[in-house]
Amino acid sequence: MPDTNYPPVDYITRGEFNALDGHVRDLQERMVLLKAVQDDTQGDIKSIDKRLDDIAIKLKELIGWRSFLLTGGIGVGWGVVQGILHLLGWGTAP
């Protein structure tokens, strides 16, 4: 009887099935490797998702009245500086 991993009730005695059994073992080895790669990839994806969530939380913290006033103040201040430079004739604006 060929040495297979089939239960004793399902012995396969034809020679073609010995080759098939070898192919099945190769496929099982490849599936184990693919499962390991898939687990690593899923771990990487979870890490990326966590990092993106952290970034989203930080962005939500930046959006608020303080940021609004700060950026608005910078814009108004720069406009005043440009106006003064334009009145003095040092600006490039027409």
Side-chain angles (χ1 to χ4, degrees), residues 4-11:
T4 64
N5 56 355
Y6 300 111
V9 260
D10 293 335
Y11 276 128

Side-chain angles (χ1 to χ4, degrees), residues 71-85:
T71 54
I74 291 172
V76 170
W78 183 243
V80 169
V81 168
Q82 284 183 334
I84 292 171
L85 290 176

